[in-house]
Amino acid sequence: MARKTIFHSLLGELEQRIGRLPAGTILPAEQTLADEYGVSKPTLRRALAELAEHGLIAKENGIGSVVIGARSAMRRELIFLCNNLNFYSTTLSTFAARVRQENYFLSIVPLDGDAFTQEQIIRTAIEQSPYGIAVSADQTHNDLPIYRELASGPIPTVFLCRLPGGVESGSLAIIDNRREFCRIVQHLYREGCRRFAFFTDIPPSVEVVQERFAGFLDGMRRCRLKPQETLLCLHPEQQQEFLLRFTGPGAPDAVCCHNDRSALELMKLLRIRGIDYSKIRFTGYDNLSLLRFLPQKLLTAELPLAELGKAAAEILLRQIENRSFKPVCKRLPARIKES
């Protein structure tokens, strides 16, 4: 274990101990504490000095270190701002487990509401002066000015899945959706599919749609296929004309939908119109649990949400322990599977 990790772990253990003690309690002698925690005396003194600086203890001549008073919130707090608690529940769990190993205290804050509300939530988190902040931003409010302030500020920060708009540099843990979408197209090509369509039922301005469509185009290029404009539905207004392409000799034999819900929506629209789609290969993304009820198999991608949490925690811990640590991007692969 690295020296700095030992120090921060010691800080967390001492803070927990102090939090359970009443004001006026005198801590054991420095050598006794050093032996108890298995650290050197200089490391122990450094930790006590930081605790004193944060107002948890006071050094009194001839007495030693005295507890000033228990606090409702410890200074070694990390804040995770999350826009979708249900979707990222596994990510939050693995993130929390990893940071607790280093004796950090995690606060999970929902990032909900309109742009003004979210900006106030982020600003409040910054004003708490936590040791670090992790952010899974709301795609619809991904360009708030407060993100640039956060990224350039003194608090170590890691973003999940994508950097906010206007943030040119920052640590990032990301699922490589573009690469995985490219692999999905190649997978279907090897199965014999040649007429590919792309479908989304949300506006193309949403960043997740843009990156997955870019992956679709990458896959088409790698397979030496040319996308047909009439088989691309990138906006809800194009749906009616797009559905007409599913009858006749020019119908697609594979449809790549930007996620599982879009695939389910397209199947419903085709069924309502009485169009037989049993011979068409459909793909989605996200591996939703409800896919098990589909009458037709769907090629999807199981996201590494547990690995995402662990990777984000590792990046943030390295930033905290080494403030000169340069921004890093950790890309995680998804797993292509049948529903």
Side-chain angles (χ1 to χ4, degrees):
M1 187 179 291
R3 183 80 174 178
K4 283 180 178 278
T5 301
I6 291 174
F7 171 73
H8 286 283
S9 180
L10 173 63
L11 264 180
E13 292 181 25
L14 287 172
E15 284 181 339
Q16 291 185 58
R17 180 173 183 162
I18 291 169
R20 295 190 293 265
L21 298 174
T25 301
I26 301 174
L27 296 181
E30 291 179 354
Q31 188 61 61
T32 302
L33 285 173
D35 293 342
E36 182 180 340
Y37 290 103
V39 299
S40 66
K41 199 170 180 179
T43 299
L44 187 279
R45 283 178 174 171
R46 180 184 166 201
L48 292 177
E50 184 157 335
L51 294 173
E53 182 181 346
H54 291 159
L56 296 177
I57 62 173
K59 189 78 171 180
E60 296 188 12
N61 292 332
I63 297 178
S65 298
V66 180
V67 175
I68 292 179
R71 295 192 170 191
S72 59
M74 294 296 183
R75 297 286 296 182
R76 283 172 59 78
E77 180 187 29
L78 302 180
I79 295 178
F80 197 127
L81 300 168
C82 186
N83 73 300
N84 191 331
L85 297 180
N86 289 331
F87 184 81
Y88 288 108
S89 59
T90 303
T91 301
L92 293 167
S93 178
T94 54
F95 183 94
R98 180 64 188 93
V99 299
R100 284 170 184 159
Q101 290 177 353
E102 304 301 327
N103 290 298
Y104 285 94
F105 300 86
L106 181 63
S107 295
I108 299 173
V109 179
L111 198 54
D112 297 329
D114 57 18
F116 175 80
T117 301
Q118 292 191 25
E119 182 148 4
Q120 293 306 306
I121 291 172
I122 299 167
R123 187 168 301 283
T124 299
I126 294 174
E127 292 173 353
Q128 289 289 104
S129 298
Y131 267 60
I133 294 178
V135 183
S136 168
D138 184 345
Q139 295 178 35
T140 58
H141 302 300
N142 198 34
D143 57 352
L144 300 177
I146 191 66
Y147 282 126
R148 294 189 287 275
E149 181 180 328
L150 176 61
S152 61
I155 301 174
T157 302
V158 60
F159 296 97
L160 280 75
C161 294
R162 57 189 53 84
L163 290 176
V167 176
E168 298 180 357
S169 178
S171 287
L172 178 67
I174 184 172
I175 299 172
D176 203 341
N177 293 320
R178 178 168 178 168
R179 176 177 176 272
E180 301 311 317
F181 232 86
C182 175
R183 288 179 59 217
I184 285 175
V185 174
Q186 291 176 297
H187 183 102
L188 294 182
Y189 182 83
R190 289 192 293 270
E191 289 186 355
C193 297
R194 294 296 182 268
R195 294 188 304 278
F196 284 82
F198 183 90
F199 175 79
T200 180
D201 55 349
I202 64 174
S205 59
V206 178
E207 192 170 353
V208 68
V209 175
Q210 294 176 350
E211 64 186 14
R212 294 180 186 183
F213 181 61
F216 171 82
L217 295 178
D218 290 344
M220 295 289 282
R221 283 192 292 268
R222 287 178 180 268
C223 297
R224 299 185 178 181
L225 296 174
K226 184 177 180 180
Q228 299 182 38
E229 290 292 332
T230 56
L231 295 181
L232 302 178
C233 184
L234 299 173
H235 197 283
E237 295 178 355
Q238 299 173 322
Q239 284 187 15
Q240 296 301 322
E241 185 176 350
F242 177 74
L243 292 171
L244 295 176
R245 306 301 173 184
F246 284 79
T247 57
D253 53 16
V255 184
C256 296
C257 303
H258 101 268
N259 65 12
D260 294 340
R261 293 189 184 280
S262 287
L264 297 175
E265 176 64 19
L266 178 57
M267 289 180 183
K268 183 183 76 172
L269 293 173
L270 293 172
R271 187 168 58 252
I272 290 173
R273 286 161 178 76
I275 298 174
D276 179 17
Y277 57 82
S278 60
K279 295 181 180 180
I280 300 175
R281 276 293 258 152
F282 287 86
T283 76
Y285 209 84
D286 298 339
N287 191 36
L288 297 180
S289 58
L290 55 82
L291 295 182
R292 68 173 72 105
F293 302 110
L294 279 179
Q296 181 170 325
K297 286 187 176 181
L298 183 76
L299 191 67
T300 186
E302 184 177 28
L303 304 184
L305 296 176
E307 293 83 353
L308 181 66
K310 184 177 180 180
E314 294 287 356
I315 292 171
L316 189 58
L317 289 171
R318 290 182 66 185
Q319 284 186 309
I320 293 170
E321 295 167 5
N322 183 2
R323 296 306 176 99
S324 62
F325 180 66
K326 294 182 179 179
V328 64
C329 178
K330 175 67 174 179
R331 295 184 179 275
L332 302 170
R335 184 168 71 90
I336 297 174
K337 59 176 291 186
E338 295 279 1
S339 63

